[in-house]
Amino acid sequence: MPNSQQPRLGGHILVDQLVAHGVKHVFCVPGESYLAVLDGLHDANIDVTVCRQEGGAAIMADAHGKLTGAPGICMVTRGPGASNALAGVHIALQDSTPMILFVGQIERGMREREAFQEMDYRAVFGTQAKWVTEIDQVERIPELVSRAFHVATSGRPGPVVIALPEDMLVETATVPDAPHYEVVESAPTPAQLAELEILLASAESPIAILGGTRWDAKAVADFATFAERFQLPVAVSFRRQMLFPADHPCFAGDVGIGLNPALLKRVADADLVLLVGGRMSEMPSQSYTLFDIPVPKQKLVHVHPDSGELNRVYRANLAINTSPIAFARTLKDLKAPSRTPWAVDTESMHASYLKWSDPSAITTSGALQMGQVMQYLEEHLPGDAIMTNGAGNYATWLHRFHRFQQYGTQLAPTSGSMGYGLPGAVGAKRVYPSRTVVCFAGDGCFLMHGQEFATAVQYALPIIVLVIDNGMYGTIRMHQEKHYPGRISATELNNPDFAAYARAFGGHGERVETTEEFGPAFERAVASGRPAILHCLIDPEVISPATTLEKIRDAALQAKK
């Protein structure tokens, strides 16, 4: 740590704050507006990942925040750079991910003249971040950066945006560094735990649904132990499948898009729902139909780290303002009821989940069977493999058929943002270089941030990308066929050779057209030791594991008669 009693450049003071708060990684696209910060990073013990587009950099920072619980750090230049990063900020907001975005800014004396790339960051990011500020005085850098870390991590985590005027960064000041941030934590009261005991003891068909952030591996294990003691069925929210081990006898599946109908009925018929960490927003709530608003017919215990979220949409019978980590720590003290009439139901729900998630039972048209691809991956991937994806119908194969076993193995945007998978995989591999990282991407999804494959090559990050190619924006085409059958508009794609794309960057690339080709190709990708793309061509009719475009179109036409 430098001597804080000596004058330092503003850009160097800022980097020193990152070091003081334990930052090990920064994801950026460089810009002349924050050259003094880049100079400070030159001598800092921080790994800098130079990205190819600011949206990719912001997604990598989001992936870091998801995996570690510490704020992911992203740096971009002003104007267009900040605009490109906005998608990543929106992901972090909806996903409750701690992240800090530093944005270069024009000189202070040029404000309100529409100077080169000038933006009002408070106005632009004000609805998409927990806090937006601009540092006008070099002496206040330690104070405001410290506040950013606390805001990003406390309560419901989320993104913070800090604008850095270019001239402020080259001023000097003698100022002490702030101490390492501490996450603000609260705990359930004894009265709340006693009431929870009573509610569980009087229930006939309870279920727990886990979601949100501020979990860790121990909290996941603690909750699994609690569920086993209470023989309580446990589901996970949309794209939060790593919060409960899929092989646990209490696991009932995920409450997301296209969920198991048996699980949907079980939640709807429950007399008590223990919602821990999540918000039960549009996707898991099935467009806000699963629970009545504002008062659900099910008794609701809602555990959430942000008091502003409690009773915001759903009126809870018991609202507990605490994080999942703190809540799970107290569950060992709860006394299990003498009778658990739901135990048989818990067993049947787990059996239903195992059947629903069995890829061997799925057969579709086409030479490449995605069910068998998933079966191969289930048999060959290590338990700590990190799986990433963006948005699209292709992700159904991963979400339905991959059985997540450990915390920290899933990276997927609950906001449904396309293009997340590849930069998410790069960010994951930078944080955990020894772990297997597999990215699922549709053909449309991949090219949203396909240029970040160059970042993977530059830093020798051997991620494996499965590009599932059906020659269309499949999800939109599916909805077209439902609502405007046979009237295809703006959803067809003419794609490149993605295997050649990989090789052009210096990676490993192969084209996979049949089921038999997939396993050997995957093994060669792993053996190559390089970033790899497997270009997987599937029958365009296979729009999901459950149906085809033709069936959707025929049903829609029949309904119009």
Side-chain angles (χ1 to χ4, degrees):
M1 189 68 65
N3 183 356
S4 60
Q5 300 306 310
Q6 297 296 320
R8 292 177 286 171
L9 277 178
H12 291 199
I13 295 172
L14 187 141
V15 172
D16 291 340
Q17 303 320 297
L18 300 184
V19 173
H21 289 294
V23 171
K24 300 297 182 184
H25 297 269
V26 165
F27 302 92
C28 77
V29 175
E32 68 273 20
S33 60
Y34 68 101
L35 284 175
V37 177
L38 295 175
D39 186 72
L41 287 169
H42 182 274
D43 299 319
N45 187 25
I46 294 176
D47 289 328
V48 178
T49 302
V50 180
C51 307
R52 300 308 175 103
Q53 206 255 18
E54 292 86 357
I59 288 171
M60 292 179 202
D62 173 87
H64 178 282
K66 281 182 169 65
L67 290 173
T68 67
I73 306 299
C74 180
M75 294 182 178
V76 301
T77 197
R78 62 200 184 203
S83 301
N84 286 339
L86 180 57
V89 173
H90 180 257
I91 292 168
L93 178 73
Q94 293 225 322
D95 282 26
S96 305
T97 306
M99 183 173 84
I100 303 175
L101 174 69
F102 292 97
V103 183
Q105 174 61 306
I106 62 170
E107 293 183 12
R108 290 165 290 184
M110 297 183 181
R111 287 175 181 152
E112 298 190 26
R113 295 175 177 171
E114 197 178 338
F116 181 63
Q117 299 180 336
E118 180 177 359
M119 289 177 69
D120 181 343
Y121 294 104
R122 290 185 177 92
V124 172
F125 288 92
T127 63
Q128 299 302 307
K130 287 188 71 177
W131 179 49
V132 185
T133 193
E134 190 161 318
I135 304 180
D136 282 345
Q137 297 169 262
V138 66
E139 295 84 1
R140 297 191 66 187
I141 291 175
E143 169 203 344
L144 296 175
V145 171
S146 175
R147 179 176 170 185
F149 275 87
H150 285 90
V151 171
T153 57
S154 299
R156 176 186 169 188
V160 169
V161 178
I162 300 181
L164 307 170
E166 186 175 359
D167 56 324
M168 182 276 296
L169 291 174
V170 296
E171 292 181 348
T172 61
T174 302
V175 60
D177 296 325
H180 193 290
Y181 72 99
E182 295 292 337
V183 178
V184 176
E185 189 61 278
S186 60
T189 66
Q192 289 172 329
L193 294 175
E195 187 173 352
L196 177 57
E197 266 189 9
I198 293 171
L199 288 168
L200 285 167
S202 61
E204 296 292 328
S205 56
I207 190 168
I209 302 175
L210 313 183
T213 54
R214 293 190 64 180
W215 292 85
D216 61 16
K218 186 177 187 307
V220 168
D222 286 346
F223 199 93
T225 300
F226 159 75
E228 191 166 353
R229 281 200 303 121
F230 281 69
Q231 297 180 283
L232 181 69
V234 179
V236 291
S237 191
F238 179 53
R239 295 183 167 175
R240 289 293 186 264
Q241 290 163 269
M242 67 178 186
L243 297 182
F244 201 85
D247 59 354
H248 194 285
C250 292
F251 187 58
D254 66 297
V255 183
I257 299 174
L259 75 163
N260 182 350
L263 176 57
L264 178 63
K265 185 176 187 305
R266 180 65 178 78
V267 176
D269 293 344
D271 63 353
L272 174 65
V273 174
L274 175 57
L275 177 59
V276 182
R279 299 186 295 119
M280 212 61 184
S281 55
E282 181 181 355
M283 292 298 105
S285 71
Q286 312 304 297
S287 297
Y288 297 106
T289 63
L290 196 52
F291 297 159
D292 292 343
I293 298 173
V295 182
K297 66 179 182 180
Q298 307 93 332
K299 290 183 179 178
L300 176 64
V301 177
H302 194 180
V303 180
H304 199 277
D306 190 340
S307 61
E309 188 61 42
L310 295 169
N311 297 315
R312 177 188 179 193
V313 179
Y314 307 105
R315 182 66 182 267
N317 297 82
L318 176 59
I320 303 177
N321 182 204
T322 191
S323 72
I325 291 174
F327 180 69
R329 197 162 49 225
T330 66
L331 293 175
K332 65 181 183 301
D333 300 324
L334 289 187
K335 182 180 178 182
S338 57
R339 55 183 293 276
T340 53
W342 57 80
V344 173
D345 202 21
T346 300
E347 292 180 12
S348 66
M349 285 307 305
H350 185 59
S352 177
Y353 162 72
L354 292 176
K355 183 179 180 180
W356 178 255
S357 62
D358 180 5
S360 67
I362 301 295
T363 302
T364 61
S365 61
L368 179 58
Q369 294 286 311
M370 284 302 298
Q372 292 184 46
V373 167
M374 292 310 303
Q375 190 169 3
Y376 173 89
L377 293 174
E378 293 305 282
E379 293 171 356
H380 291 85
L381 287 177
D384 67 348
I386 299 172
M387 312 297 286
T388 77
N389 64 270
N393 272 32
Y394 72 88
T396 304
W397 295 99
L398 175 60
H399 293 336
R400 178 171 169 179
F401 299 110
H402 181 60
R403 295 175 179 174
F404 291 87
Q405 304 292 344
Q406 299 181 27
Y407 179 77
T409 55
Q410 183 178 30
L411 289 172
T414 64
S415 65
S417 184
M418 293 183 69
Y420 185 94
L422 176 56
V426 173
K429 197 68 172 175
R430 282 294 267 170
V431 177
Y432 294 115
S434 64
R435 291 170 63 178
T436 300
V437 179
V438 178
C439 164
F440 272 63
D443 45 333
C445 187
F446 175 82
L447 281 178
M448 293 282 184
H449 283 296
Q451 68 271 23
E452 299 304 344
F453 193 79
T455 307
V457 172
Q458 179 170 340
Y459 293 96
L461 305 173
I463 61 174
I464 300 176
V465 183
L466 308 183
V467 177
I468 315 301
D469 182 359
N470 62 358
M472 68 181 79
Y473 287 120
T475 301
I476 312 307
R477 171 71 181 279
M478 176 184 70
H479 289 294
Q480 270 184 344
E481 296 290 9
K482 284 181 179 179
H483 301 288
Y484 304 96
R487 295 175 60 82
I488 303 168
S489 176
T491 52
E492 295 179 301
L493 296 174
N494 185 10
N495 288 316
D497 181 339
F498 289 108
Y501 181 98
R503 293 191 294 270
F505 281 105
H508 178 87
E510 293 196 38
R511 185 179 177 93
V512 178
E513 298 186 43
T514 69
T515 304
E516 294 72 25
E517 291 172 347
F518 181 81
F522 191 89
E523 291 167 13
R524 287 190 294 270
V526 172
S528 76
R530 290 179 288 162
I533 294 175
L534 299 185
H535 184 181
C536 302
L537 290 98
I538 64 171
D539 186 343
E541 273 294 315
V542 184
I543 200 63
S544 79
T547 191
T548 65
L549 287 174
E550 183 179 9
K551 288 179 180 178
I552 294 171
R553 181 169 53 250
D554 288 348
L557 289 170
Q558 189 66 33
K560 288 179 178 290
K561 288 182 179 179

